[in-house]
Amino acid sequence: MSGSALAYVMYAIFALGGLGVYFALPQEGRWPSRTAVVLGLAALLGFLVLLGLEFAPDGGGGLYWVLFAGMAVFAAARVVTHHRPVYSAIYFVVGVLAVAGMMLLLAAEFVAVALVMIYGGAIMVTYVFVMMLAQHGGRPIYDHSSRAPLGAVLAGFVLTATLSGAIAEALPAGAAAPTTTVNYDVDFRPAAVEESGPLPAGNTAAVGATLLARYMVPLEIAGVLLLIAMVGAVAVARKRIPVTEAGALAPPAERPLGQSGREAEPFVPELKKV
Amino acid sequence: MGTEHPWLQWALDNAWLIPVLPLLGAALVGVFGSRLLRGASHWPAILGVAGAVLLSILLYQGVGELAHEDYDRTQVVYEWFPTGAADDLQTDTHDESWFTVSFRLDPLTAIMLLTVTVVSLLVVIYSRDYMRHHNHPERGYERFFAFMALFVFSMTSLVLAGNFLLLYLGWELVGLCSYLLIGFYYQRPSAAAAAKKAFLVNRIGDFGFGIGVLLIYLTFHTLDYQVVFAATTAAMSGATDQLQQVLGLADTASATRVMLLIQDRVAIIALLLFCGAIGKSAQLPLYVWLPDAMEGPSPVSALIHAATMVTAGVYMVARCGALFVADYRVMIVVAVVGGVTALFAATIALAQYDLKRILAYSTISQLGYMFLGLGAYAADSAIFHLYTHAFFKALLFLAAGSVMHAMGGIIDVRRFGGLRKILPVTFITFVIGSLALAGFPLLSGFWSKDEIIHAALQQQPVLGYMALLTAVLTAFYTFRMVFLAFFGQEKIPAGVHAHESGGWMLWSLILLSVGAAFAGYAGVTSFTGHGFVGLFEPHGKFHEFLHPVFTPFTAALAEMQFLPGGPGSHGGEAAHDYTLMYVSAGLAILGIVVAYLCYVAAPTLPRAVRDAWPRAYRILNQKYYVDEIYDAAVIRPLRGLGDFCFGMDNYFVDGLIWVVTAVPQFLGHLLRSMQRGAMQAYGLGMVTGLIIIVVLVLTRG
Amino acid sequence: MTHYLIVGALLFGLGLVGFLSRRNLIIVFLSTELMFQGAVVNFVAFGRLHENLQGQSFALFLLAIAAVEASLALALVVLLFRRKGTLDVEVWRAMQG
């Protein structure tokens, strides 16, 4: 397929997908209609077929790539369009797994595992905890309606289409697809470490060595950043619990949920639909 | 210039005091009137005007003594402001010339000053009682006397003026004082409207007058009377060397050029100046302000709208005789306007019921007579009539004011009657004034009117007959007024305590009636008469006195004698036409008798006449609907124009401004709607911008 | 490589859609995590293209940043929830002009 024809086909697929996502976004409590499902799945299929055939005919993942990419895209779409937050979180984990699979295909094992551990193990747990704390049961209006769905879909998909079109033109198909068993060399090892002998085989070792040797400063800074974030999170979300005159904590009855130490009445939302 | 008597010389040298003394009076009253003087506010005014009277008498004597000497009658009082070098095509060597305040001290000025100041003094004395009720001064008492004194200042400046600049200044100032005094009772809407009307109609005339003055300056490069008149005379007779000398020109060529220019322009200049006279002296078609001007107090009507201000036009034409006689067509215009106005106004007066309005139309009519006289080259007769008219018309107005004062402000002649027993002095003085106005033989009006009719018959016979008809009508309506008001059944409006007026008013009435009766003799007595009849020469002392001033008129008349079929000259000749004298006397008596018949002997007769010709009556009563015509033809379109301009300003100009202001407001509104406080909207906006940038970058490379 | 990049772009785009259109604060931030995913895919793909470990190293840093961002975002969400008692984004309109 020629470059411009490919681009147009891709744009068409993206348009279709955008339409599907638009219909899938929760609006006024209506369930995602069958139209949306059909459109979306069709788009997804088309997408996968196109890309699979065009860019990954041999090597570069092949079938596995199709599987993982499809899973990732579908999961991402569901994260964005599902009307219940917990399901969004679950779909997110699925997406993470799919992306991890793609990392494996790219011979980035450490990154894959780190993704699963950090995202699925830490971040998602935090999200689910917060959902537990703050999420209303039942069918709150803010889960069942979107604001500016058309604008958002347009913005997102136009951007994606533009970038994709640029990418497709810039990097023609079949460029540089090494086998999955490539083992990257270490980027840099100082002379002193070099003498201590070759590294154990494996991506993890290589990445570790690279990080410690070449990217030492960013590593340390990242550590400090994590510390700051932890302190900050604690400081921001601290709850001030009123104390009685005697110095003891006030009884739970006087600590209504949602208070942050000052008088504020529970907000009863009377909101217009967006 | 030297007289024998030091007093007279002093008066001549200090003629500037004549306007300044009343001005000082006005200033004193204006500054101190409301606080200090109050009830005594009349004193500064009376004293100022009295001082002016004394000086005018001295001036008159002085001018009389020097009458036969050759001296420069123009006296420069004050050098006012310089003009730029006025070089243009006409004169080659004209330097910077200064505009001056200069006086012209010649016989005409002296006569006018006497008339103006004496009548003013009597009116101001009268006002002292008129502006009071039960010895309590009216509201605005001080204002009144301040304005009156200011008016005397303005009028004397006008009369004394030796150049057109000062004339114009006085002209405008009297217009201003007229406005102030007509609108004296400014809280009355009709009075305010009348003042406005007077000022605006005058303005129309003054517009022409101003252009005339400008044209004079452009043509002659000076505004001095002497120079302008001498130059005109020289130019019209083709004497280029004289012209050159008078204007101070460089050579004969430029003199010829200037002469041709003057010959072209002089008619236009005269007509433009006459425009001002039409406005100021209430002739057709700019007379409409004078009847309405009766809204002012009676002294105002007496002084300004009978004796002095309205005569300024006549004075001006008489003064500028050289300009007017230059073209005979201009003189015809003047005469026709005067004659037609006289008849026209007299007819309107026949059907009016407001005492002061009748007198107002009578004034217009008499002013028409004066212009008729001027147009008939009888300027001295016109000025003579002005002088006698000042006395009897002022008398009539003051007497009417006395009636009004007694009747509690009512002036409609239908609402009272038979007042001669109740107001005896007023009655007698009123009758004397009426006799003079009607031209009853032996009283002043008779002599002056007679001369004008004679001159008119000589020049324009048609106008002469019109003047005779007007004389009959004048007698008729004057005595209609007298009989309606003073004869018949005694009828006083309800709730009015009718009493004769106070001492000050009466004395001024009496003095004025003396003047009305006997002032005319100054114009007819001369020392060269034989017997009784010979005493009444048409060329009396008055005319002798004025003779040097009116040489242009007499010269023009002398020239016209040589025209084929031209009329005989008016004065200075042999037999006075006694026939005319008897005829006009008879007509006056006829008018009086008819009025007597109509209003005393057979009171139902007028009603019968009115019912016989109802439409004619209505036309006359409604003043020929002239005001309505003006309203429809002039005022409505102007107002429409004003409304249109207002609408333009409101909608178009303000609309433009609104558009200019609306644009930022709209932009602001637009921008404001982008600020929703919702983060995601901002995000959307950012992404949109990002997309645009990305697209641009990628497509342009 | 292109296909990986396009997938990464797609993940990013979908995350953007969710970020701009959902009303639940938590889902909004979840969508930002999704965007991070897309970025990670891209980085690693490019690393594969250039055949060095730079991409993967940066992907690890991205992971750390994502974690940091998630924790702080959720702390803020909790704070906001306490203020208004709801997770709705629409209630925060105080700056509306």
Side-chain angles (χ1 to χ4, degrees):
Chain A
M1 230 188 281
S2 70
S4 56
L6 175 69
Y8 289 134
V9 169
M10 206 159 48
Y11 291 152
I13 292 178
F14 276 129
L16 210 56
L19 209 56
V21 168
Y22 172 70
F23 280 117
L25 275 176
Q27 292 181 47
E28 293 314 330
R30 123 182 101 76
W31 299 98
S33 56
R34 260 184 239 160
T35 336
V37 174
V38 166
L39 283 173
L41 285 178
L44 185 59
L45 203 60
F47 173 70
L48 291 173
V49 163
L50 174 71
L51 287 187
L53 288 179
E54 190 61 29
F55 296 105
D58 45 48
L63 185 61
Y64 285 114
W65 179 85
V66 169
L67 182 66
F68 286 134
M71 227 166 76
V73 172
F74 179 72
R78 284 318 280 151
V79 165
V80 164
T81 60
H82 207 281
H83 60 92
R84 292 180 66 168
V86 179
Y87 275 74
S88 291
I90 301 297
Y91 272 112
F92 186 79
V93 175
V94 169
V96 165
L97 287 173
V99 169
M102 279 200 282
M103 298 296 106
L104 285 176
L105 289 176
L106 286 169
E109 295 98 5
F110 182 64
V111 174
V113 174
L115 264 179
V116 173
M117 278 200 308
I118 291 174
Y119 266 103
I123 295 180
M124 277 305 104
V125 169
T126 318
Y127 268 95
V128 169
F129 263 108
V130 174
M131 280 180 205
M132 255 175 26
L133 279 176
Q135 183 66 20
H136 279 253
R139 293 185 48 181
I141 187 68
Y142 49 81
D143 279 334
H144 287 270
S145 62
S146 324
R147 47 188 321 279
L150 191 60
V153 164
L154 271 177
F157 275 86
V158 166
L159 187 62
T160 311
T162 318
L163 290 173
S164 309
I167 292 169
E169 280 174 46
L171 297 175
T179 64
T180 51
T181 55
V182 77
N183 190 9
Y184 305 97
D185 283 330
V186 173
D187 235 347
F188 165 75
R189 283 177 82 196
V193 181
E194 191 66 44
E195 292 157 6
S196 61
L199 284 175
N203 182 260
T204 310
V207 167
T210 309
L211 275 181
L212 282 170
R214 195 178 176 90
Y215 301 117
M216 188 64 190
V217 177
L219 190 67
E220 297 302 324
I221 292 176
V224 173
L225 194 64
L226 285 165
L227 178 66
I228 293 172
M230 192 167 70
V231 174
V234 170
V236 161
R238 201 158 44 108
K239 185 152 115 176
R240 275 176 221 98
I241 298 173
V243 292
T244 57
E245 280 139 9
L249 293 177
E254 287 168 25
R255 291 187 259 148
L257 190 68
Q259 303 297 316
S260 57
R262 1 172 255 138
E263 298 304 311
E265 273 147 20
F267 180 78
V268 178
E270 289 169 350
L271 303 158
K272 313 191 289 275
K273 302 171 208 169
V274 174
Chain B
M1 182 158 77
T3 68
E4 291 170 9
H5 300 97
W7 280 116
L8 298 185
Q9 188 58 48
W10 183 86
L12 283 172
D13 289 337
N14 291 293
W16 59 274
L17 279 174
I18 297 181
V20 167
L21 283 175
L23 182 64
L24 267 178
L28 278 173
V29 177
V31 171
F32 298 112
S34 52
R35 294 290 155 85
L36 290 180
L37 296 174
R38 264 190 261 223
S41 301
H42 53 277
W43 283 116
I46 292 181
L47 290 175
V49 179
V53 169
L54 283 172
L55 280 169
S56 302
I57 296 175
L58 290 176
L59 188 87
Y60 168 78
Q61 296 279 27
V63 171
E65 278 214 11
L66 295 172
H68 300 290
E69 286 186 26
D70 190 20
Y71 67 100
D72 187 9
R73 288 169 173 79
T74 304
Q75 176 194 74
V76 173
V77 174
Y78 173 64
E79 297 225 323
W80 199 359
F81 57 89
T83 62
D87 257 297
D88 74 356
L89 299 171
Q90 301 191 33
T91 54
D92 304 323
T93 63
H94 222 79
D95 292 328
E96 271 198 349
S97 55
W98 283 67
F99 280 127
T100 62
V101 170
S102 63
F103 290 158
R104 177 84 186 161
L105 301 171
D106 68 2
L108 179 61
T109 311
I111 294 284
M112 288 293 298
L113 273 180
L114 264 185
T115 316
V116 167
T117 49
V118 169
V119 175
S120 304
L121 182 65
L122 290 172
V123 169
V124 172
I125 291 175
Y126 173 94
S127 311
R128 185 251 179 217
D129 256 359
Y130 185 81
M131 298 303 284
R132 282 166 192 266
H133 299 282
H134 307 292
N135 218 27
H136 182 72
E138 240 182 59
R139 184 179 164 279
Y141 190 74
E142 314 82 27
R143 197 157 47 97
F144 182 83
F145 283 99
F147 289 155
M148 288 293 259
L150 186 68
F151 172 80
V152 177
F153 159 70
S154 318
M155 192 68 200
T156 47
S157 312
L158 193 157
V159 164
L160 272 170
N163 58 25
F164 281 97
L165 187 65
L166 196 57
L167 177 72
Y168 193 69
L169 176 72
W171 197 269
E172 297 296 326
L173 273 177
V174 295
L176 173 70
C177 292
S178 168
Y179 168 80
L180 290 171
L181 284 165
I182 295 175
F184 182 72
Y185 298 117
Y186 57 86
Q187 288 170 329
R188 217 195 297 158
S190 53
K196 229 185 345 178
K197 185 172 179 180
F199 197 79
L200 288 174
V201 176
N202 256 299
R203 203 83 209 98
I204 300 175
D206 292 350
F207 180 63
F209 189 70
I211 296 184
V213 171
L214 283 173
L215 211 55
I216 289 177
Y217 184 73
L218 286 176
T219 313
F220 296 92
H221 280 275
T222 173
L223 289 178
D224 190 73
Y225 281 162
Q226 187 120 323
V227 177
V228 169
F229 297 151
T232 309
T233 321
M236 296 315 292
S237 59
T240 46
D241 43 346
Q242 196 178 351
L243 183 65
Q244 182 182 351
Q245 187 195 29
V246 162
L247 284 180
L249 300 173
D251 53 20
T252 321
S254 54
T256 319
R257 220 170 34 215
V258 173
M259 181 181 82
L260 291 173
L261 198 68
I262 294 176
Q263 283 175 350
D264 273 339
R265 286 188 183 170
V266 72
I268 305 273
I269 292 176
L271 282 175
L272 285 170
L273 293 178
F274 189 55
C275 276
I278 293 180
K280 189 68 71 182
S281 300
Q283 298 297 293
L284 223 54
L286 294 177
Y287 70 92
V288 289
W289 63 274
L290 193 51
D292 285 6
M294 298 299 119
E295 295 280 343
S298 295
V300 171
S301 309
L303 183 59
I304 299 184
H305 304 124
T308 45
M309 182 182 105
V310 292
T311 59
V314 179
Y315 165 74
M316 188 267 296
V317 175
R319 171 65 76 198
C320 301
L323 292 174
F324 279 84
V325 302
D327 193 333
Y328 71 95
R329 294 169 295 187
V330 174
M331 296 298 274
I332 292 179
V333 168
V334 171
V336 166
V337 167
V340 172
T341 307
L343 186 58
F344 183 79
T347 55
I348 298 182
L350 291 175
Q352 299 298 316
Y353 293 104
D354 183 329
L355 204 56
K356 283 175 72 174
R357 277 225 182 175
I358 298 177
L359 290 172
Y361 284 108
S362 163
T363 308
I364 299 175
S365 180
Q366 297 303 306
L367 288 167
Y369 262 105
M370 294 178 216
F371 281 109
L372 178 59
L374 285 169
Y377 297 89
D380 42 0
S381 310
I383 298 293
F384 184 42
H385 194 55
L386 189 157
Y387 157 81
T388 56
H389 174 264
F391 284 101
F392 62 70
K393 195 43 76 64
L395 169 65
L396 279 172
F397 268 108
L398 293 185
S402 176
V403 169
M404 209 168 129
H405 206 244
M407 291 292 114
I410 296 175
I411 202 67
D412 191 329
V413 97
R414 294 172 286 197
R415 293 179 62 181
F416 48 74
L419 295 177
R420 66 189 154 148
K421 298 283 169 45
I422 308 173
L423 310 172
V425 181
T426 308
F427 168 63
I428 294 179
T429 50
F430 201 97
V431 167
I432 293 177
S434 307
L435 285 173
L437 174 57
F440 194 80
L442 301 188
L443 289 177
S444 59
F446 170 64
W447 304 115
S448 49
K449 206 186 290 192
D450 185 48
E451 285 183 24
I452 291 180
I453 299 178
H454 184 204
L457 281 173
Q458 299 232 307
Q459 298 295 324
Q460 311 282 346
V462 174
L463 292 177
Y465 291 122
M466 276 169 70
L468 280 175
L469 178 61
T470 314
V472 182
L473 292 177
T474 307
F476 177 73
Y477 68 67
T478 311
F479 274 86
R480 164 176 176 267
M481 196 170 48
V482 172
F483 292 135
L484 276 177
F486 293 97
F487 284 73
Q489 273 204 328
E490 272 194 20
K491 182 173 42 158
I492 303 178
V496 168
H497 170 55
H499 56 283
E500 185 61 275
S501 314
W504 296 61
M505 282 165 76
L506 285 185
W507 274 108
S508 38
L509 284 176
I510 292 171
L511 286 172
L512 272 175
S513 55
V514 167
F518 300 112
Y521 290 104
V524 290
T525 51
S526 93
F527 301 121
T528 64
H530 334 284
F532 183 73
V533 170
L535 206 55
F536 306 127
E537 283 293 332
H539 245 54
K541 194 156 172 265
F542 192 90
H543 303 58
E544 282 284 336
F545 190 67
L546 284 177
H547 183 73
V549 183
F550 293 136
T551 41
F553 290 97
T554 47
L557 270 180
E559 255 190 52
M560 281 165 63
Q561 269 192 304
F562 297 111
L563 290 175
S569 80
H570 161 65
E573 266 203 346
H576 175 48
D577 197 344
Y578 292 115
T579 329
L580 180 62
M581 200 165 74
Y582 293 132
V583 166
S584 51
L587 285 176
I589 298 177
L590 173 69
I592 299 175
V593 166
V594 173
Y596 181 82
L597 281 175
C598 288
Y599 291 97
V600 181
T604 55
L605 189 53
R607 179 144 313 201
V609 172
R610 194 190 320 163
D611 292 337
W613 289 294
R615 213 176 301 138
Y617 166 74
R618 212 170 334 117
I619 291 181
L620 288 182
N621 184 254
Q622 294 298 322
K623 313 161 277 168
Y624 292 95
Y625 297 104
V626 171
D627 279 322
E628 286 77 7
I629 296 174
Y630 269 135
D631 187 52
V634 176
I635 298 181
R636 291 261 176 82
L638 280 178
R639 197 168 284 155
L641 183 66
D643 284 338
F644 171 69
C645 289
F646 177 68
M648 273 279 287
D649 179 48
N650 231 7
Y651 293 116
F652 183 62
V653 175
D654 281 0
L656 278 179
I657 295 180
W658 179 85
V659 165
V660 168
T661 58
V663 167
Q665 280 183 349
F666 175 67
L667 282 178
H669 194 75
L670 210 59
L671 288 173
R672 197 150 53 100
S673 59
M674 293 208 278
Q675 294 250 340
R676 301 257 227 90
M679 164 207 52
Q680 283 160 315
Y682 300 158
L684 193 56
M686 282 196 299
V687 171
T688 313
L690 179 68
I691 292 175
I692 294 172
I693 293 176
V694 163
V695 166
L696 282 175
V697 166
L698 288 179
T699 53
R700 303 290 165 96
Chain C
M1 268 333 99
T2 322
H3 46 298
Y4 283 102
L5 297 176
I6 294 180
V7 167
L10 197 54
L11 285 176
F12 182 83
L14 284 168
L16 191 61
V17 169
F19 177 77
L20 293 177
S21 69
R22 292 303 296 263
R23 271 171 74 170
N24 189 328
L25 271 172
I26 299 180
I27 303 299
V28 166
F29 288 108
L30 203 57
S31 311
T32 62
E33 300 299 326
L34 198 50
M35 288 200 266
F36 273 111
Q37 293 287 297
V40 164
V41 166
N42 266 40
F43 268 108
V44 174
F46 271 114
R48 168 71 171 237
L49 182 69
H50 294 295
E51 294 188 27
N52 58 23
L53 287 171
Q54 284 184 346
Q56 294 183 26
S57 315
F58 204 83
L60 289 171
F61 287 125
L62 261 190
L63 227 52
I65 301 295
V68 163
E69 183 260 343
S71 64
L72 281 172
L74 287 172
L76 284 171
V77 165
V78 166
L79 199 61
L80 292 176
F81 173 77
R82 282 201 209 129
R83 274 296 172 93
K84 288 276 187 11
T86 178
L87 284 174
D88 197 337
V89 142
E90 285 292 307
V91 306
W92 295 100
R93 291 176 153 271
M95 293 264 293
Q96 184 176 28

